[in-house]
Amino acid sequence: LRDNRIELVRASWHELSISVSDVSLSDEGQYTCSLFTMPVKTSKAFLTVLGVPEKPQITGFTSPVMEGERMQLTCKTSGSKPAADIRWFKNDKEVKDVKYLKEEDANRKTFTVSSTLDFLADRSDDGAVVSCRVDHESLNSTPQIAMQVLEIHYTPLVKIISSNSWPEEGQSIILTCESKGKPVPEPVLWTKDGGELPDPERMVVNGRVLSISFLNKTDNGTYRCEAKNPIGRNSTEYVLIVH
């Protein structure tokens, strides 16, 4: 062996030891030690060199994604030998239904492996952390991980909360319009029976809150709260009955 990466460690009548530094894939193969007796005696050993996978990369994500759109995230790593294992997680929970592809690298010794996560974007995925984990025997039980935080835009979800479950004449009531969406919905719109609020002196809107003082029977009706953002709009109704 003639290579300046190979160093003679010990040479005696009983032992001949070498060390190989900066090991490469080309060092794989059969090594032979010979004892020049009559006849010559030899011993052979096969050295297997592992290919360490490169740090994985996640591609295919564009921000933001609209709710209902199909997302395809691909995780890829090259240089593994044998082929590395790729697993997907969403908020630390493993996602099982994924595609796996193994291709031989140009050197015909190592592999490029990729995996594709395919799903429909949902509002519950907004802010979720998707991670791609590469496991390989060369990594000594410390996997390589790539991460991507999802940003999903979705239409508002609207709900009306009443401060008084049994409103009576002369009392007041506060209706709060809770709207959740991304981007955050613009100021909400309050209407009564399909038109504007009929008594602005008693019916006061402050942000998302509608306050009605000194209730009377003319306040009976259907109050609608509508919220919108660039993705779309949504509304909900509350039927007020003054006792």
Side-chain angles (χ1 to χ4, degrees), residues 117-217:
L117 183 64
D118 191 333
F119 62 100
L120 294 177
D122 185 80
R123 62 185 61 203
S124 63
D125 293 328
D126 184 48
V129 178
V130 169
S131 56
C132 158
R133 171 175 159 169
V134 174
D135 289 292
H136 193 260
E137 53 194 293
S138 67
L139 299 175
N140 298 325
S141 302
T142 307
Q144 292 180 332
I145 297 173
M147 292 189 292
Q148 177 66 61
V149 179
L150 303 184
E151 184 183 5
I152 314 296
H153 283 192
Y154 53 93
T155 56
L157 191 66
V158 187
K159 182 169 71 171
I160 294 176
I161 299 171
S162 170
S163 65
N164 193 338
S165 58
W166 188 267
E168 298 178 5
E169 276 189 306
Q171 293 181 343
S172 62
I173 192 170
I174 296 173
L175 300 179
T176 304
C177 180
E178 283 192 351
S179 60
K180 185 183 178 187
K182 193 164 186 179
V184 176
E186 297 168 10
V188 299
L189 174 66
W190 283 99
T191 57
K192 177 179 185 275
D193 297 329
E196 292 183 0
L197 299 175
D199 192 342
E201 289 188 6
R202 289 188 306 109
M203 300 177 175
V204 179
V205 175
N206 184 8
R208 301 177 183 277
V209 177
L210 168 61
S211 305
I212 308 174
S213 54
F214 307 111
L215 288 169
N216 63 63
K217 290 176 183 175

Side-chain angles (χ1 to χ4, degrees), residues 14-242:
H14 308 290
E15 184 182 326
L16 190 64
S17 301
I18 59 170
S19 71
V20 184
S21 58
D22 193 20
V23 173
S24 67
L25 292 169
S26 61
D27 294 322
E28 180 165 295
Q30 186 167 273
Y31 287 73
T32 305
C33 166
S34 299
L35 182 62
F36 289 98
T37 55
M38 290 296 290
V40 174
K41 295 177 181 177
T42 61
S43 182
K44 299 177 187 296
F46 192 90
L47 175 68
T48 300
V49 178
L50 299 176
V52 182
E54 294 174 2
K55 186 171 175 59
Q57 301 283 336
I58 296 177
T59 57
F61 181 72
T62 53
S63 182
V65 178
M66 305 304 161
E67 184 175 38
E69 282 187 3
R70 180 170 292 282
M71 292 183 68
Q72 287 188 321
L73 302 180
T74 299
C75 179
K76 182 181 282 191
T77 176
S78 301
S80 59
K81 174 179 170 289
D85 184 39
I86 294 183
R87 295 156 72 194
W88 285 97
F89 294 83
K90 190 189 287 183
N91 287 341
D92 298 327
K93 185 177 179 182
E94 187 168 2
V95 182
K96 293 285 191 181
D97 189 20
V98 292
K99 297 174 186 171
Y100 180 84
L101 181 65
K102 180 175 80 171
E103 297 175 299
E104 210 173 54
D105 290 333
N107 59 18
R108 309 200 120 194
K109 293 181 179 178
T110 58
F111 294 91
T112 292
V113 291
S114 62
S115 179
T116 302
L117 183 64
D118 191 333
F119 62 100
L120 294 177
D122 185 80
R123 62 185 61 203
S124 63
D125 293 328
D126 184 48
V129 178
V130 169
S131 56
C132 158
R133 171 175 159 169
V134 174
D135 289 292
H136 193 260
E137 53 194 293
S138 67
L139 299 175
N140 298 325
S141 302
T142 307
Q144 292 180 332
I145 297 173
M147 292 189 292
Q148 177 66 61
V149 179
L150 303 184
E151 184 183 5
I152 314 296
H153 283 192
Y154 53 93
T155 56
L157 191 66
V158 187
K159 182 169 71 171
I160 294 176
I161 299 171
S162 170
S163 65
N164 193 338
S165 58
W166 188 267
E168 298 178 5
E169 276 189 306
Q171 293 181 343
S172 62
I173 192 170
I174 296 173
L175 300 179
T176 304
C177 180
E178 283 192 351
S179 60
K180 185 183 178 187
K182 193 164 186 179
V184 176
E186 297 168 10
V188 299
L189 174 66
W190 283 99
T191 57
K192 177 179 185 275
D193 297 329
E196 292 183 0
L197 299 175
D199 192 342
E201 289 188 6
R202 289 188 306 109
M203 300 177 175
V204 179
V205 175
N206 184 8
R208 301 177 183 277
V209 177
L210 168 61
S211 305
I212 308 174
S213 54
F214 307 111
L215 288 169
N216 63 63
K217 290 176 183 175
T218 65
D219 297 327
N220 286 351
T222 301
Y223 292 79
R224 175 189 287 261
C225 162
E226 182 182 279
K228 66 176 181 177
N229 64 8
I231 313 302
R233 61 180 66 204
N234 216 335
S235 63
T236 190
E237 294 178 343
Y238 175 85
V239 177
L240 174 61
I241 299 172
V242 179

